[in-house]
Amino acid sequence: MAATGSGPLAGVRVVELAGIGPGPFAAMLLGDLGADVVRVDRPGGAGLAIDPAYDLTNRNKRSVLVDLKADGGADRVLDLVERADVLIEGYRPGVAERLGVGPGPCLARNPKLVYGRMTGWGQEGPLAQRAGHDIAYIAVTGTLSMIGKAGEPPTVPANLVGDYAGGSLYLVVGILAALHHAREEGGGGQVVDAAITDGAAHLATMIHGMMAAGGWQDRRGTNLLDGGCPFYGTYETADGQYMAVGALEQRFYDEFTGLLGLGDTAAARADLTRWGELRDAVARRFKERTRAEWTAVFEGSDACVAPVLSLREAPGHPHLAARSTFTDHGGITQPAPAPRFSVTPGSVTRPPAMPGAGTDEVARDWDVPSIRTDDTRGTG
C-alpha cells in the first residue's frame, strides 16, 4: 500500500508521538488530507480503553514502536524527525525535553521542522504543569458556562468543544500556517504552542463582541443562540424523540410557524415578555406528532427545522448519504475526511494503525534503518 495518500498534503511527512485525545485527532486530520503520518508508540503503551483496531483517530497512519526511555530511543525518533516536516506531541510541558525529543534537539536535527505541541493549559502559566481534561479547560474559559438551560447546571458537550474544536483544529491550523511560512516564505521551522484553553476561548470571539455591545447576557439559556430563544432550540415529539429549530430570520420564522400551525401565537416573536408563552405553544404542537411525521411536514421547506438523529442514525440521513459524509472502511462506518477538495480529495486509505505494525514499511520508505531493532520490529 502506498505510504502517502493523494490529498492536498501528499508528500508531507508527520511524526506523531503517541498520546490520546486531541493530538491523535490532529494527526488523523493531517493523514486524511494525504500526509504520511508515522505514529511512534511505546511498547506496552495504552491508548483509548478500546481495541486499537477500532480507534479511528489512528486511521491513515502507520505505527512504529520506540521506547523513548531506553538507550538510543530518542536517537531513533530523531532519525525520523530528520526526514519529517512536522512533529506532534501532547506531553506535559518539559516531558519531551526530558526524553530528549524537545524542540531543541529536533530543530537542531531538522531546522525546517514544524514542532506542534498540544496541551490543555499551554506551555507556561500557573496551571501549565497541572493535569486536566476537556471539561476543566472549557470551564475556565467561560465556554462551558454558556451551554445548558437557565437555572440548571451547565451541559457537558462531550469532549468536542475543548479537545477537538479548541485543541486539534487550532493545532492543525497552526501547523499548516507554520508549514506555509517554512516552505513558501523561505522561513525556518518553529514551535506551535496549541493550548485547548486558548482555542476554546477564541471560539467564543463573536459572543464576547455581542456581550460588549449589550446583545448577550452573561447567563446561559437566556440568549438568542443558547436555547433562550423559543425559535432556536430543541423540542420533544410524541414518540420521545426531538426536533431542532433554528428559524431565526423573519422569513424562515414565518414558514416555520405556518407549517407548525401555530396561529396567532406566532406574533409573540416580537415581544420578549411573551417568549415563555411562545415556547409553550411550540412545545405543545411538537408533542402532537412523532419525529418522523414532523420531519415529513418540514421536508423541502426553508423553515430551518431538522430531526435530532442519533450517532447510529446519522449515516442514513438522505442528505448525508448523498454526499457520502460517512464512509465504510474495514467494516467500520465512520465520518469521511473533511473538508473536500476539487482536485486533491482526501480519503481513508488505512484502518487504525496497530502498534508497531508499520515498522518495516516505515524503515524502508523513510530510509530509517535504526527503528528496525529486535524489540521494536513490527509485523509488516
Side-chain angles (χ1 to χ4, degrees), residues 104-147:
C106 285
L107 286 165
R109 183 73 74 94
N110 182 353
K112 286 191 172 293
L113 181 74
V114 173
Y115 193 106
R117 315 198 81 166
M118 182 76 262
T119 61
W121 304 114
Q123 294 299 310
E124 71 280 321
L127 295 177
Q129 292 296 331
R130 299 282 72 79
H133 281 294
D134 173 289
I135 191 169
Y137 309 139
I138 65 174
V140 301
T141 60
T143 312
L144 181 59
S145 74
M146 297 188 294
I147 305 171

Side-chain angles (χ1 to χ4, degrees), residues 66-376:
V66 176
D67 184 354
L68 277 166
K69 295 182 178 179
D71 290 342
D75 289 334
R76 286 195 281 272
V77 170
L78 291 174
D79 287 344
L80 288 168
V81 165
E82 184 176 338
R83 295 155 175 81
D85 300 287
V86 177
L87 179 140
I88 292 175
E89 63 94 356
Y91 301 136
R92 290 198 206 189
V95 172
E97 285 83 350
R98 290 196 295 274
L99 291 172
V101 291
C106 285
L107 286 165
R109 183 73 74 94
N110 182 353
K112 286 191 172 293
L113 181 74
V114 173
Y115 193 106
R117 315 198 81 166
M118 182 76 262
T119 61
W121 304 114
Q123 294 299 310
E124 71 280 321
L127 295 177
Q129 292 296 331
R130 299 282 72 79
H133 281 294
D134 173 289
I135 191 169
Y137 309 139
I138 65 174
V140 301
T141 60
T143 312
L144 181 59
S145 74
M146 297 188 294
I147 305 171
K149 295 181 179 180
E152 296 184 8
T155 297
V156 180
N159 67 330
L160 302 178
V161 175
D163 281 352
Y164 298 138
S168 304
L169 298 187
Y170 278 88
L171 175 60
V172 169
V173 168
I175 285 171
L176 296 180
L179 273 176
H180 172 78
H181 172 75
R183 291 185 166 190
E184 304 302 325
E185 302 301 324
Q190 61 181 304
V191 177
V192 178
D193 174 6
I196 295 172
T197 48
D198 295 346
H202 195 262
L203 287 170
T205 299
M206 183 190 75
I207 305 298
H208 280 277
M210 294 174 67
M211 188 166 62
W216 187 277
Q217 299 182 69
D218 196 13
R219 309 187 277 122
R220 66 183 160 276
T222 59
N223 297 285
L224 191 66
L225 301 174
D226 65 359
C229 172
F231 40 95
Y232 196 88
T234 57
Y235 290 92
E236 187 176 3
T237 56
D239 54 345
Q241 301 295 318
Y242 290 86
M243 298 294 290
V245 176
L248 290 176
E249 293 83 357
Q250 184 68 53
R251 65 186 185 279
F252 302 147
Y253 178 80
D254 291 342
E255 192 161 356
F256 162 61
T257 54
L259 289 170
L260 190 67
L262 205 57
D264 294 340
T265 312
R269 166 191 170 91
D271 184 354
L272 269 64
T273 65
R274 296 183 62 195
W275 271 16
E277 174 191 352
L278 177 57
R279 186 189 309 281
D280 291 343
V282 172
R284 284 194 300 271
R285 287 292 291 142
F286 272 117
K287 286 297 290 283
E288 293 175 3
R289 299 185 187 182
T290 65
R291 186 184 70 179
E293 290 171 330
W294 282 119
T295 299
V297 167
F298 290 105
E299 189 172 10
S301 76
D302 274 344
C304 301
V305 177
V308 178
L309 302 182
S310 72
L311 292 174
R312 293 189 185 279
E313 292 175 314
H317 187 277
H319 180 79
L320 304 185
R323 281 183 58 81
S324 299
T325 298
F326 291 83
T327 188
D328 201 79
H329 190 273
I332 305 176
T333 300
Q334 55 197 279
R340 304 176 187 214
F341 298 83
S342 61
V343 178
T344 56
S347 62
V348 180
T349 59
R350 291 177 174 270
M354 300 299 288
T359 299
D360 291 342
E361 249 188 26
V362 173
R364 179 194 67 224
D365 294 348
W366 284 39
D367 190 23
V368 186
S370 66
I371 63 171
R372 300 177 71 177
T373 62
D374 291 341
D375 60 330
T376 61

